[in-house]
Amino acid sequence: MNIDFHYGVIYILARTASFDRADAETIAHACEYVDDSTVTGTLDFKSGQSFERFASAHKMLDHKNMIRDSDKRVWAPFHFLPACEGDTFEEKCVCRPDSKTARTIVKEAIRQHEADNALHRLGVTLHVYVDTWAHQGFTGTISPNNIVHKLHSENHDPEGLLAELRRKVSAAKDLAESELADMVSRLGHGAALHLPDFPWAVWGYTNGYGIDIERHNLPNFMTAADMAYRAIKGFRSDNDNYPDEEGLPNGVKQALEQLLGENRSDDPQKRLEALMASVEKGDIPRLKEDVPIYVAKGPRSWKFAATGITSHSDDGDAPPVWSQVFEESDYRKFHEAVKDHRAFVTGTLLPKHGVRLA
């Protein structure tokens, strides 16, 4: 899924579940930031303090995607959660919608509702949770499940998406086109291009095992929205049996389904802007307001507010100044949530089901 769902829809769900604007923004921002937090390693401060971070994403055309250790540590726990179904390691690594492992991470986030970064942990968890619907059938490891043959779509032209990929390949000076093509054909849903993330897409393919797969995204996305809403309500009521919570109100569900189905720009940012405009007009029942702008990097971002770093790509030219502002920041709380989530998934949850990835 893209920013229109991870930020826009999650914000709508949180507000519909009676979170105030500030808390809804925190949950939605953390949910989307999972896709944008690409800087890893230690952040060193001028006075000697330091803070360890773990990137929850790599860019699709990042050479790190070709490193087996890196894909297991990033893509599997944050974007293609193994369902741990089947007998072999290969089968267990496949991502399945609303799997037993997916429900377990939601319950764990709910149990941590009193932590100082509980909203950030909920946002991180919701990102992983809803992606189990969009990324079903693929894995966060190098796998034949990720090979795509005979890609087709009823309502989109795969050739146009391929042309976009070729442009990106041409712009990546450090890797040969053949290397990049091989990379995206084996990792996640790279070879399926953006079709898994378009809410309206009806599409299909044959995977590396020769299995024909047909997908209709909109019903899957709406189920994801409904279950995410139940999870958010469960968090509010401290009820880790969240599937028993009442689902999305019918009016909200109908309005959201129409918006996701008709908002068909290939650009996820434009889809988000259209979704935000609909909220501002009152197209979602009982919700008519300006949606806070999401800023991933640079000035006005969480990182800038915590450290003063303005760089869009790294930690700047000089170490930042540490202060209590950093300790209380969304940036620090988000990264702690990422580390907590990863530790639980890779160190506790998956090994219980015979999957050891880190």
Side-chain angles (χ1 to χ4, degrees):
M1 293 179 178
N2 296 138
I3 190 172
D4 53 323
F5 198 102
H6 286 311
Y7 185 77
V9 172
I10 294 300
Y11 180 85
I12 291 170
L13 299 181
R15 290 291 283 133
T16 302
S18 300
F19 274 96
D20 63 30
R21 281 172 54 86
D23 286 350
E25 180 183 6
T26 298
I27 296 167
H29 192 120
C31 184
E32 168 56 23
Y33 198 37
V34 172
D35 273 344
D36 297 324
S37 181
T38 57
V39 178
T40 194
T42 302
L43 174 63
D44 293 314
F45 293 92
K46 186 175 296 185
S47 52
Q49 287 96 334
S50 60
F51 179 73
E52 183 183 9
R53 298 158 299 177
F54 186 86
S56 52
H58 294 315
K59 296 176 181 178
M60 181 54 72
L61 299 186
D62 191 329
H63 72 281
K64 296 184 182 70
N65 289 336
M66 299 186 72
I67 304 173
R68 286 182 179 271
D69 181 55
S70 182
D71 73 70
K72 289 179 181 179
R73 295 171 62 220
V74 174
W75 294 120
F78 292 103
H79 307 276
F80 299 88
L81 184 70
C84 296
E85 299 173 4
D87 299 320
T88 68
F89 176 78
E90 177 76 26
E91 291 170 341
K92 290 180 179 181
C93 283
V94 177
C95 183
R96 303 292 183 192
D98 202 21
S99 62
K100 61 186 177 185
T101 52
R103 291 196 173 192
T104 300
I105 65 169
V106 174
K107 293 179 180 182
E108 180 67 14
I110 292 172
R111 295 187 189 111
Q112 304 300 325
H113 74 282
E114 293 185 354
D116 75 335
N117 66 343
L119 294 177
H120 305 75
R121 177 72 176 272
L122 177 61
V124 171
T125 300
L126 289 173
H127 182 109
V128 183
Y129 189 41
V130 298
D131 266 0
T132 65
W133 278 272
H135 296 171
Q136 60 182 284
F138 297 101
T139 79
T141 59
I142 303 299
S143 167
N145 285 289
N146 303 329
I147 294 175
V148 172
H149 300 296
K150 302 177 183 177
L151 182 63
H152 59 275
S153 174
E154 290 183 13
N155 50 16
H156 208 93
D157 176 19
E159 286 302 318
L161 299 176
L162 282 170
E164 178 186 350
L165 176 61
R166 292 187 187 102
R167 287 193 295 272
K168 291 181 178 180
V169 166
S170 298
K173 305 299 183 183
D174 58 333
L175 290 175
E177 180 171 350
S178 59
E179 293 177 306
L180 286 170
D182 182 58
M183 173 187 72
V184 298
S185 70
R186 295 179 294 132
L187 178 65
H189 67 69
L193 307 173
H194 296 299
L195 288 172
D197 295 324
F198 289 157
W200 67 90
V202 179
W203 60 288
Y205 66 100
T206 302
N207 71 13
Y209 291 110
I211 300 172
D212 293 329
I213 296 169
E214 298 295 331
R215 297 269 294 275
H216 187 179
N217 286 356
L218 189 56
N220 287 327
F221 278 44
M222 289 308 303
T223 301
D226 184 72
M227 293 303 294
Y229 176 72
R230 294 169 190 258
I232 293 168
K233 290 184 67 178
F235 181 92
R236 279 190 61 82
S237 60
D238 190 20
N239 173 23
D240 65 5
N241 195 23
Y242 69 92
D244 287 346
E245 294 281 350
E246 188 174 348
L248 268 175
N250 285 333
V252 175
K253 184 183 297 185
Q254 292 168 3
L256 190 57
E257 183 170 11
Q258 182 175 350
L259 290 171
L260 292 178
E262 295 178 354
N263 184 11
R264 297 192 174 192
S265 171
D266 287 357
D267 185 337
Q269 187 61 44
K270 291 182 179 178
R271 297 202 303 272
L272 174 63
E273 291 169 0
L275 194 63
M276 293 166 64
S278 295
V279 173
E280 292 166 9
K281 290 188 297 182
D283 292 341
I284 302 293
R286 300 188 299 278
L287 184 61
K288 184 178 181 180
E289 62 189 39
D290 293 339
V291 179
I293 301 296
Y294 173 83
V295 179
K297 299 179 184 295
R300 299 174 59 200
S301 68
W302 276 1
K303 185 176 184 178
F304 174 78
T307 66
I309 294 172
T310 59
S311 172
H312 286 254
S313 59
D314 53 34
D315 291 337
D317 298 326
V321 175
W322 178 89
S323 73
Q324 193 60 32
V325 170
F326 177 83
E327 296 304 315
E328 298 170 0
S329 69
D330 289 306
Y331 184 73
R332 193 274 301 173
K333 293 175 182 178
F334 170 81
H335 278 284
E336 297 287 11
V338 162
K339 291 185 289 187
D340 291 344
H341 169 83
R342 176 179 173 268
F344 176 72
V345 171
T346 63
T348 301
L349 176 60
L350 297 184
K352 285 184 177 179
H353 298 285
V355 176
R356 172 64 71 176
L357 295 177

